[in-house]
Amino acid sequence: MVQIANENKTAYAILGLLNHEPLSGYDIRKRIDGSIGLFWDAGFGQIYPALKKLADKGLVEGKAEKSGGRPDKKIYRITEKGRKELEKWLVEPTAKEHVRYEILLKLFFGSLVDTERNIETIKEFRARYTGLLETLEGYERNLRLVLPKSQDHLYYLLTVRFGSHIYRAYLNWADEALEMLRNKATVPGDN
Amino acid sequence: MVQIANENKTAYAILGLLNHEPLSGYDIRKRIDGSIGLFWDAGFGQIYPALKKLADKGLVEGKAEKSGGRPDKKIYRITEKGRKELEKWLVEPTAKEHVRYEILLKLFFGSLVDTERNIETIKEFRARYTGLLETLEGYERNLRLVLPKSQDHLYYLLTVRFGSHIYRAYLNWADEALEMLRNKATVPGDN
DNA sequence: GCCACCATGTAAACAGTTACATGATTAG
DNA sequence: CTAATCATGTAACTGTTTACATGGTGGC
């Protein structure tokens, strides 16, 4: 056996962002927040060590940049070797989806708590995604405005549309679930 | 500061399953596969150590059971203390959803590869969830049959309905995405 | 004066996956 | 005879989160 390849997907996410433009670790966090964070989040505790490793492997290069007043930035740019590595990963087979919904875990055991409590839990979920969907739709409107001028954003739009579909499904499920629980609550002789 | 509570959610998942019926580690894996695995998966490497820890804390009790021929089973049952702990967790605030979609990560950087390759990736995704949705709908039909007799399964149904909504959203997104990429591919002067 | 934001990083703890070890039974 | 399933567990590794450490700038 040669080596069980170090398949750090978050490192590829960073590599992909750097392929578009040079960024500091701090900038990367902000970019993630406004784009891939929807389906692939990462904190500073992952980003800084990942950048260091990528630099060690020669996939990115970091340059310290003095900026009067503000703390110095370390701007990273992708290397030719990094681009090759990124392209190699992009055509490799894709891992299955990983999801973790604590709300469903609690709801699955919902018979142990008050129906009212479960209804509240779903209402909160519903409220949160109502707001998130609005934010997403703002992104989408902006993207559609620039799309005819540059098709660069087509793949970004694809992922935003994914979010839109999913969030709507969340809201539809929540409405349905609330109705099911309310009907249950009104059945006489029921706890 | 007293102690940053050990909030192992997977342990609560196990506790919840044991609250319904005594199970061995192996049985737990199977139960997860057919119920909460949809939104909270766990392998043997998590289950066995978790059971040990739960037993150390007195939240579950394990009893070895001889079974002629087959390997001995260790059946765990929840204790009163465990039930209390489970109920405590159920009313605590719920953590946000965690998702990881490698397919979207790759698609986000999709301009770096052939449009055809991206179309293939989405088609595979689509095919997988077409099958998974059918399986889920089988579960749902069975659940609806027993529901009028016992409302026990209402919360199970709630989580299955969640899966149904989400998987349908996946398929709708996939169809839309495929159309977007095919339209793009036919635009002249486009790569 | 205080809080938010800019900016980088390390260390410890926790969570999760994969591989290994062992071995019997049953269905094809 | 071979593969799948039954059954439990450990060890090593990878990935992620959270806390800590440090310190300047700008707005209210």
Side-chain angles (χ1 to χ4, degrees):
Chain A
M1 201 179 297
V2 198
Q3 164 138 21
I4 295 98
N6 181 18
E7 276 285 314
N8 190 337
K9 312 293 170 71
T10 298
Y12 287 108
I14 292 171
L15 218 45
L17 291 173
L18 290 180
N19 184 57
H20 183 246
E21 58 184 332
L23 294 165
S24 71
Y26 195 85
D27 293 335
I28 287 171
R29 179 78 253 279
K30 279 192 295 177
R31 284 285 183 288
I32 288 176
D33 225 33
S35 58
I36 61 172
L38 182 77
F39 48 83
W40 204 280
D41 207 358
F44 290 123
Q46 271 179 282
I47 294 169
Y48 287 118
L51 281 169
K52 210 180 171 186
K53 266 193 184 174
L54 285 171
D56 287 348
K57 289 189 200 163
L59 306 179
V60 303
E61 279 171 348
K63 231 182 266 177
E65 264 176 44
K66 307 269 166 198
S67 49
R70 305 222 150 274
D72 290 358
K73 273 190 173 193
K74 213 165 167 182
I75 306 288
Y76 289 89
R77 58 185 68 236
I78 195 168
T79 62
E80 200 44 53
K81 198 177 162 190
R83 219 181 308 271
K84 285 258 173 66
E85 189 67 23
L86 175 63
E87 275 164 18
K88 214 180 85 189
W89 170 72
L90 281 171
V91 295
E92 271 171 22
T94 305
K96 284 195 196 91
E97 290 61 51
H98 284 278
V99 298
R100 248 44 305 215
Y101 293 98
E102 198 185 335
I103 187 180
L104 293 185
L105 195 53
K106 285 193 173 162
L107 233 38
F108 188 79
F109 305 122
S111 58
L112 294 170
V113 297
D114 279 354
T115 303
E116 265 316 307
R117 157 69 67 170
N118 291 322
I119 286 174
E120 271 318 303
T121 303
I122 297 171
K123 273 186 180 170
E124 276 163 38
F125 176 85
R126 204 191 173 290
R128 190 144 47 81
Y129 282 99
T130 301
L132 289 172
L133 181 59
E134 269 168 42
T135 307
L136 250 195
E137 283 174 344
Y139 285 164
E140 192 180 328
R141 273 191 297 275
N142 290 336
L143 272 175
R144 286 196 189 275
L145 284 178
V146 298
L147 203 62
K149 288 166 196 161
S150 73
Q151 49 179 224
D152 280 13
H153 298 86
L154 180 69
Y155 289 100
Y156 188 2
L157 180 60
L158 232 61
T159 63
V160 169
R161 289 296 301 157
F162 186 94
S164 189
H165 273 103
I166 296 305
Y167 287 3
R168 273 170 212 281
Y170 286 172
L171 297 180
N172 289 337
W173 166 79
D175 288 337
E176 188 189 293
L178 286 172
E179 214 179 285
M180 279 166 80
L181 290 185
R182 279 176 189 139
N183 286 345
K184 172 190 182 287
T186 57
V187 172
D190 176 55
N191 76 327
Chain B
M1 201 179 295
V2 198
Q3 165 141 19
I4 295 97
N6 180 18
E7 276 283 314
N8 189 337
K9 313 292 171 69
T10 298
Y12 286 108
I14 292 171
L15 219 46
L17 291 173
L18 291 179
N19 185 57
H20 183 246
E21 58 184 329
L23 294 165
S24 69
Y26 196 84
D27 293 335
I28 288 170
R29 180 77 252 278
K30 279 192 294 178
R31 284 285 183 288
I32 288 176
D33 224 33
S35 58
I36 60 172
L38 182 76
F39 47 84
W40 204 280
D41 207 358
F44 290 123
Q46 271 180 282
I47 294 168
Y48 288 118
L51 281 169
K52 209 180 172 185
K53 265 194 184 174
L54 286 170
D56 287 348
K57 289 189 201 163
L59 305 179
V60 302
E61 277 170 351
K63 232 182 264 178
E65 263 176 45
K66 307 269 167 199
S67 49
R70 304 222 149 274
D72 290 359
K73 273 191 173 192
K74 214 164 165 181
I75 305 289
Y76 289 89
R77 58 186 68 235
I78 195 167
T79 62
E80 201 44 52
K81 198 176 161 191
R83 219 180 308 271
K84 284 256 173 66
E85 188 68 24
L86 174 63
E87 274 163 19
K88 215 180 83 188
W89 170 71
L90 281 171
V91 295
E92 272 171 22
T94 305
K96 284 196 194 93
E97 289 61 49
H98 284 280
V99 298
R100 232 110 227 247
Y101 293 98
E102 198 186 333
I103 186 179
L104 292 185
L105 195 53
K106 286 193 173 164
L107 234 37
F108 187 78
F109 303 122
S111 57
L112 293 171
V113 296
D114 279 354
T115 303
E116 265 317 306
R117 156 71 64 170
N118 291 321
I119 287 175
E120 271 318 302
T121 303
I122 297 171
K123 274 186 179 171
E124 275 163 38
F125 176 85
R126 204 191 172 289
R128 190 144 48 81
Y129 282 99
T130 301
L132 288 172
L133 181 58
E134 269 169 42
T135 307
L136 249 196
E137 283 175 344
Y139 285 164
E140 192 180 327
R141 274 192 296 275
N142 290 335
L143 272 174
R144 287 198 189 274
L145 285 176
V146 299
L147 202 63
K149 289 165 193 160
S150 74
Q151 49 179 222
D152 280 12
H153 298 88
L154 180 69
Y155 288 100
Y156 188 1
L157 180 61
L158 233 59
T159 62
V160 169
R161 288 296 300 156
F162 186 94
S164 189
H165 272 103
I166 295 306
Y167 287 4
R168 274 169 213 281
Y170 286 172
L171 297 181
N172 289 336
W173 166 79
D175 288 338
E176 188 189 293
L178 286 172
E179 215 180 283
M180 280 165 80
L181 290 184
R182 280 176 189 138
N183 287 345
K184 172 192 180 291
T186 57
V187 171
D190 177 57
N191 76 330

